[in-house]
Amino acid sequence: MENILVGINSKYVHTNVAIRYLKKYVEKNSDLKIQMYESSINNNIQKIIRDIVESSPENIFFSVYIWNVEMVFKIVKELRKILPDKKILLGGPEVSYNPTEILKNNVEIDGILVGEGEKVFLNYLTKDIKDVKGVYYRENGEIKFNGFEPLIEDLDIVPFPYDDSELEDVHKIVYYESSRGCPFNCSYCMSSIDKSVRYFSLERTKKDLKKFIDIGTRLVKFVDRTFNLRKERYMEIWRFLLENYRENITFHFEINANIFDDEVLDFLKQVPRKFFQFEIGVQTTNPATMKAINRNNNLERLFHNVTFINKNIHLHLDLIAGLPFEDYETFGNSFDYVYRTKCEMIQLGFLKMLQGTEMKEEGEKYGYKYLDFPPYEILENDFISYKDICRLKDIEEVLDFYYNSQKFLRSLDFVVSNFFESPFKFFESIGDFYKKKGYLEIAHKELAIFNNFLEYYREQNFPRIDEFLEYLKFDYLFLGKPGFYPEWIDDRKDKDLYKSIIDKMEFKSAREAHKLTELEKFEINIETGEKESVNIFFDYSKEDTKYYIVR
């Protein structure tokens, strides 16, 4: 009997760790072999259907999430036409909170697995359905359920989910968990439903992490909902990683930055740049909103901690638009707070009314209107209008262009600090510009985003354009050796000085030297902001561009 687990990811680079756990657990505890099929929502649906059918399955299991649920239901309906006698079952967070309703409305589906999946999946494949817990199934025209399977107490019995060959793929993000569950009670989050937190042993965790390091996996994203809950435990894991440091590997953690003490901060200062990446859920700085969503940020402590480590830890800070009591103005205050931390990325998200969450149950109290289909995103509520939500959508897009890309560090700082009372006001302004020009509706190459910035600057009639052009030129050259100079760059290269510099460097040839370096004259000192003629030498030979002021 062929059993196939299907994971349809939101992007090609993603991996589905859930189906890997199920496959490894069943194969460890039985003689069964499990097929695994992965695709993405961007792939052709008919090809996915054909791939599944040609695998000759008896049982087909779909892992269902908010990003793939609509596609999965389409696939299931078509598969039923082609494979009328095969079993099709679903599992995952998007079908776990209304399984009876789903089965009633979708006759093509034979069952839904709920709860922690490993034991449920094994029992379904090896036992009579009447003896299996954690499965909603059909029997004689009725929907049956035998209760929930207890959670796994000893997580170490769950095998490591990846094959070595998967960890060598530099184009994939690898997801990993060292714990399950979340102790917090954020009203908008599905993780708050399971309050218990269970841990893989430190010995097991270290063994797994050493495998990533030895193989050279590029990016490992911990899916622990809050990694830094137990200081003794997470510090031991971080020390282990630091002791086994290897270049070109990044470990990503979702953390609560409020609770770092001075010992933790001092340790994090030792971590090599890019080795750790933190995702920090700020969500809001509005006191009334924090209270409503059961989230209490110590904003002063949070700001101190984040700015203390932002030189060597890559930081992503999250904001959520559409929370209770958060209007357009107070969201702007939250945005400005996060911007001032100088984190690498501001992730501006929009509230999703997810099944099973407290926020979904209390939606009427705050006048929520939201999409009836995935991703169930907010349209408006009593505090923020649909018009303002749309404006924030525009800001989200230009934020990715000019801040999250990290490609406009000097020119962006020059504009924001000289012409705007707050960072949010700048992004509001350039978002309006993009909307007016129709630039939000078209794809943009890198040079076009630079050109648009200059067009915006000129249209706003900002003074000191010569200074702005110097900062914009620096940002453009810092990205890498330009194939050509755009018309707004005045090329003033000192060719004799350039040759004298590269002659002293160790390159295989003059051609390689020119390919991996650049020299340009500036009329402003990029570091001090003072007006003076300086030459700046750019070295692109390493992963990160280096530059040197040459007088």
Side-chain angles (χ1 to χ4, degrees):
M1 178 183 291
E2 293 292 339
N3 300 290
I4 183 169
L5 286 161
V6 181
I8 300 178
N9 304 318
S10 60
K11 295 180 181 178
Y12 165 78
V13 296
H14 295 169
T15 52
N16 185 315
V17 69
I19 62 175
R20 286 168 169 80
Y21 273 128
L22 300 183
K23 171 181 166 65
K24 294 290 187 180
Y25 188 84
V26 167
E27 292 181 345
K28 176 184 176 182
N29 293 283
S30 73
D31 295 328
L32 296 172
K33 293 297 179 184
I34 307 296
Q35 289 190 70
M36 190 175 68
Y37 174 79
E38 277 188 293
S39 186
S40 86
I41 59 174
N42 301 308
N43 287 349
N44 182 282
I45 193 168
Q46 290 193 50
K47 183 182 186 306
I48 295 173
I49 293 169
R50 178 174 177 174
D51 288 344
I52 294 172
V53 171
E54 290 183 347
S55 69
S56 302
E58 289 295 324
N59 295 317
I60 308 168
F61 301 87
F62 286 90
S63 181
V64 189
Y65 296 86
I66 194 170
W67 59 81
N68 70 12
V69 59
E70 291 184 305
M71 192 173 194
V72 166
F73 275 78
K74 289 179 182 178
I75 292 171
V76 166
K77 289 182 184 297
E78 304 312 316
L79 282 175
R80 180 55 71 207
K81 298 173 186 176
I82 307 164
L83 304 173
D85 301 322
K86 309 305 180 183
K87 292 289 187 181
I88 300 176
L89 294 97
L90 311 183
E94 195 55 29
V95 294
S96 294
Y97 296 99
N98 56 344
T100 301
E101 180 183 348
I102 290 174
L103 288 175
K104 286 180 179 178
N105 295 334
N106 299 272
V107 295
E108 304 86 2
I109 301 170
D110 294 297
I112 295 178
L113 283 62
V114 298
E116 196 167 40
E118 286 88 356
K119 285 186 176 181
V120 175
F121 186 50
L122 174 65
N123 291 339
Y124 178 82
L125 295 177
T126 58
K127 295 183 178 181
D128 187 291
I129 188 63
K130 294 179 180 179
D131 298 323
V132 177
K133 293 184 177 182
V135 179
Y136 286 80
Y137 62 96
R138 302 180 192 279
E139 183 179 84
N140 299 324
E142 295 184 14
I143 296 172
K144 300 283 189 178
F145 181 64
N146 303 324
F148 289 95
E149 177 70 32
L151 297 176
I152 298 172
E153 292 300 326
D154 180 12
L155 290 178
D156 284 3
I157 69 173
V158 180
F160 183 72
Y162 297 98
D163 294 329
D164 288 356
S165 60
E166 295 181 294
L167 304 182
E168 296 168 352
D169 189 343
V170 298
H171 303 295
K172 294 283 190 177
I173 299 172
V174 172
Y175 296 90
Y176 177 75
E177 62 179 359
S178 65
S179 67
R180 292 181 178 179
C182 180
F184 299 113
N185 193 35
C186 302
S187 63
Y188 53 84
C189 181
M190 292 181 70
S191 296
S192 65
I193 296 167
D194 178 10
K195 303 294 191 301
S196 63
V197 181
R198 292 157 294 139
Y199 297 91
F200 288 84
S201 70
L202 278 170
E203 180 181 3
R204 160 66 187 277
T205 301
K206 290 178 180 179
K207 180 181 177 182
D208 293 348
L209 296 178
K210 190 65 164 61
K211 185 182 289 286
F212 294 132
I213 293 170
D214 290 343
I215 291 177
T217 306
R218 290 298 180 90
L219 176 59
V220 179
K221 297 189 76 168
F222 277 68
V223 295
D224 304 46
R225 300 311 301 166
T226 302
F227 177 77
N228 60 319
L229 287 175
R230 293 184 178 179
K231 179 182 175 182
E232 183 177 343
R233 175 186 169 82
Y234 74 75
M235 285 293 287
E236 186 167 344
I237 292 173
W238 281 349
R239 290 190 184 100
F240 175 82
L241 291 175
L242 189 56
E243 290 165 2
N244 292 276
Y245 170 71
R246 179 173 174 173
E247 286 187 346
N248 299 321
I249 296 179
T250 298
F251 290 93
H252 175 106
F253 307 91
E254 293 188 28
I255 59 103
N256 179 348
N258 288 281
I259 58 179
F260 285 157
D261 59 22
D262 290 342
E263 179 188 5
V264 175
L265 295 178
D266 289 339
F267 169 82
L268 290 174
K269 276 292 187 181
Q270 308 169 41
V271 175
R273 189 170 175 268
K274 293 187 176 182
F275 192 42
F276 286 1
Q277 180 173 290
F278 289 169
E279 183 172 342
I280 301 168
V282 178
Q283 319 309 11
T284 179
T285 61
N286 184 26
T289 303
M290 286 192 282
K291 183 178 180 181
I293 64 174
N294 307 317
R295 191 177 187 89
N296 183 27
N297 284 323
N298 182 331
L299 297 177
E300 183 177 350
R301 181 69 184 178
L302 176 62
F303 190 87
H304 170 268
N305 290 353
V306 168
T307 53
F308 190 87
I309 61 177
N310 67 2
K311 297 295 187 298
N312 61 312
I313 306 295
H314 191 94
L315 299 174
H316 295 186
L317 270 61
D318 298 345
L319 290 172
I320 298 179
L323 294 170
F325 303 104
E326 184 87 281
D327 59 22
Y328 186 81
E329 182 180 352
T330 61
F331 184 85
N333 296 336
S334 298
F335 182 97
D336 289 338
Y337 169 91
V338 169
Y339 187 95
R340 288 193 296 270
T341 67
K342 298 184 178 180
C343 59
E344 276 78 9
M345 181 176 287
I346 300 173
Q347 297 184 163
L348 198 171
F350 294 81
L351 180 66
K352 297 173 177 60
M353 304 295 279
L354 301 177
Q355 290 280 359
T357 63
E358 180 182 331
M359 185 65 68
K360 175 69 181 295
E361 295 172 358
E362 295 186 348
E364 290 187 10
K365 181 167 68 172
Y366 302 117
Y368 272 98
K369 298 176 183 177
Y370 54 90
L371 298 176
D372 285 333
F373 53 87
Y376 314 113
E377 199 169 88
I378 177 178
L379 297 172
E380 63 180 9
N381 61 24
D382 289 343
F383 313 100
I384 192 165
S385 68
Y386 177 69
K387 179 180 178 181
D388 286 338
I389 287 290
C390 290
R391 200 174 188 193
L392 291 178
K393 288 280 186 179
D394 297 344
I395 290 172
E396 177 192 24
E397 188 154 354
V398 293
L399 178 69
D400 284 341
F401 292 157
Y402 293 106
Y403 185 87
N404 291 339
S405 70
Q406 294 286 290
K407 295 176 181 177
F408 295 85
L409 296 178
R410 305 284 180 161
S411 52
L412 176 63
D413 183 66
F414 175 78
V415 173
V416 172
S417 60
N418 284 290
F419 307 120
F420 287 91
E421 62 186 67
S422 79
F424 184 73
K425 291 297 183 183
F426 162 75
F427 285 101
E428 186 179 63
S429 173
I430 197 169
D432 290 345
F433 166 81
Y434 263 73
K435 175 69 174 175
K436 182 181 71 173
K437 294 290 185 178
Y439 294 161
L440 293 171
E441 284 74 44
I442 58 177
H444 296 286
K445 293 184 178 180
E446 194 170 76
L447 178 57
I449 300 174
F450 275 86
N451 291 339
N452 293 345
F453 201 9
L454 178 56
E455 181 186 358
Y456 164 78
Y457 194 98
R458 286 170 170 160
E459 187 165 300
Q460 298 299 311
N461 291 316
F462 291 139
R464 301 163 62 184
I465 191 167
D466 290 343
E467 291 178 63
F468 173 70
L469 283 169
E470 294 295 273
Y471 287 112
L472 195 66
K473 177 171 70 172
F474 177 87
D475 286 336
Y476 186 75
L477 294 178
F478 192 78
L479 294 181
K481 181 74 173 185
F484 67 95
Y485 278 14
E487 55 84 19
W488 45 267
I489 289 185
D490 181 14
D491 184 6
R492 291 169 283 150
K493 189 189 287 67
D494 185 329
K495 295 182 179 179
D496 292 334
L497 176 61
Y498 189 23
K499 184 177 185 305
S500 69
I501 294 173
I502 60 179
D503 283 347
K504 297 175 185 177
M505 301 179 71
E506 296 181 359
F507 288 106
K508 295 178 182 178
S509 64
R511 181 178 180 181
E512 181 186 58
H514 282 87
K515 181 180 179 181
L516 297 177
T517 63
E518 185 59 282
L519 180 76
E520 186 54 54
K521 189 173 184 180
F522 289 76
E523 296 304 323
I524 193 168
N525 186 318
I526 294 296
E527 295 182 338
T528 66
E530 299 295 323
K531 290 187 177 182
E532 63 171 312
S533 292
V534 296
N535 292 284
I536 298 182
F537 180 79
F538 295 88
D539 182 355
Y540 310 118
S541 61
K542 305 295 183 183
E543 183 179 359
D544 293 331
T545 300
K546 303 294 183 184
Y547 75 92
Y548 310 92
I549 294 178
V550 183
R551 291 183 172 84

